[in-house]
Amino acid sequence: MTMRSFGLIRQCCNALVRVPLAREKSPVSLPISHLSRSLTTAAEALKITYDEKSEVATMHLCRKPVNGLSLEFITQISIALEKLENERSCRGVIISSGCDNVFCAGLDINEMLRPTPERLEIFWKTLQDMWLQLFTTRLMTVAAITGHCIAGGCLISSACDHRVMAPNFKIGLNEVKLGIVAPFWLVDSVKNLIGYRQTEWSLMKGHLFSSEDALRLGLVDKVVPQDQVVLQAEADMAEWLQVPDSARHLSKTLMRRDTVVRFRSGREADLKTFVNYIPKESIQKTLHSYVESLKSKK
Ligand SMILES: CC/C=C\C/C=C\CCCC/C=C/C(=O)SCCNC(=O)CCNC(=O)[C@H](O)C(C)(C)COP(=O)(O)OP(=O)(O)OC[C@H]1O[C@@H](n2cnc3c(N)ncnc32)[C@H](O)[C@@H]1OP(=O)(O)O
């Protein structure tokens, strides 16, 4: 197997003070006083490899301990996606995790705790952009879900084209448990997979599905033992790549158009709602208690 890492991507990912890269915007300097805590450095957090033979890249999320989606991390993912999208030989990307038993625990909650208005706005815009990139990319996308996949984690997996998950983990949208609400575009992408009622019910309860229930409902496509998830994702990717790229991508565009149109017309209002809602004292209290409960479960 011929593997090479994308020098350009690594280079970009290491230089992370100016964000976001987002296509439609110019870069903005970050208030770096609020960098969120992680056990990994920015350079270690995202590893990209490319297999020339299969024409498939792997995006390995390694922001320990739980791949919490901080502004810097989302920006790295976004830059990497853009680079892969522009790499003509690349046809697919597998998204995998280097965190034990966690694919992604969602947004880094620290981003929402006592945020500066400036950073909060950049954070949400960057997340919106990253989601749109992933949801509409020409690349075939497969999520190799080797652990829990919660809220923002489900944002990533549900934006992909195919999902393979390990048994006995949790997946879904639990935002209400934190006193917050998933944005309509994330809800839509889950609804596209599991239908209206299951989405409404799980959203209102903050219910996380077991891997097995997720398979039954269509929130994931396969459940295989944890040590086989990546291999299965690679095998499924190879099968998917037998379909001509442009026809596959046009079909995806056709199926996702309504969600994308709704997103584009609602994203400004969504941003305003987010930046007004998060700093509210009542929301801050609930988020704070949630973080405390995570820490005290040990
Ligand atoms: C009207 C509406 C207007 C506006 C909308 C507003 C907001 C919309 C946002 C919606 C979009 C998405 C939101 C989100 O993603 S919020 C995040 C939701 N995620 C979770 O609830 C997951 C929480 N984590 C867990 O349940 C467990 O950590 C997990 C993943 C099951 C792993 O368990 P375990 O292996 O036992 O690990 P620990 O729990 O010990 O965690 C290790 C360490 O990580 C910290 N941590 C965990 N998750 C997060 C996180 N999401 N962000 C930041 N930090 C996290 C945890 O506290 C531990 O820290 P410690 O210091 O104790 O080591």
Side-chain angles (χ1 to χ4, degrees), residues 37 39 63 65-66 68-69 100-102 104-110 112 124 127 148-153 155 173-175 177-183 185-186 208 270 273-275 277-278 283 287 290-291 294-298:
R37 178 184 155 276
L39 300 181
R63 185 171 184 263
V66 292
L69 298 171
D100 288 347
N101 298 325
V102 180
C104 172
L107 302 189
D108 185 330
I109 299 167
N110 299 302
M112 296 184 280
W124 197 250
L127 185 73
H148 299 295
C149 182
I150 301 176
L155 178 155
L173 304 180
N174 70 337
E175 280 84 346
K177 296 263 168 76
L178 290 79
I180 57 179
V181 184
W185 38 276
L186 168 56
L208 295 172
D270 177 61
T273 307
F274 180 77
V275 296
Y277 189 80
I278 293 299
I283 303 302
L287 283 172
Y290 188 81
V291 170
L294 276 180
K295 292 191 188 304
S296 64
K297 77 177 185 189
K298 286 173 181 164

Side-chain angles (χ1 to χ4, degrees), residues 22-25 74 78 81 85 124-138 141 155-156 159-160 185-186 189 249 252 256-265 267:
R23 288 170 189 161
E24 296 153 28
K25 289 160 212 74
I74 297 167
S78 193
L81 276 173
E85 179 101 28
W124 197 250
K125 276 187 188 163
T126 310
L127 185 73
Q128 287 180 327
D129 284 328
M130 187 210 73
W131 173 81
L132 185 63
Q133 270 178 294
L134 193 57
F135 194 67
T136 58
T137 178
R138 69 166 180 83
T141 49
L155 178 155
I156 292 178
C160 288
W185 38 276
L186 168 56
S189 57
H249 183 230
K252 162 166 153 176
R256 298 186 180 190
R257 190 174 48 205
D258 290 353
T259 303
V260 171
V261 167
R262 217 161 94 82
F263 169 77
R264 286 192 194 282
S265 63
R267 66 175 295 171

Side-chain angles (χ1 to χ4, degrees), residues 32 51 56 62 66 71 76 83 122 148 154 163 165 174 209 249-250 275 295 297:
I32 49 176
D51 177 7
V56 172
C62 307
V66 292
L71 174 55
Q76 281 182 289
K83 293 281 174 195
I122 298 172
H148 299 295
C154 194
R163 289 149 284 273
M165 189 171 181
N174 70 337
F209 296 105
H249 183 230
L250 279 170
V275 296
K295 292 191 188 304
K297 77 177 185 189

Side-chain angles (χ1 to χ4, degrees), residues 26-38:
S26 48
V28 180
S29 291
L30 264 186
I32 49 176
S33 57
H34 192 295
L35 294 182
S36 47
R37 178 184 155 276
S38 168

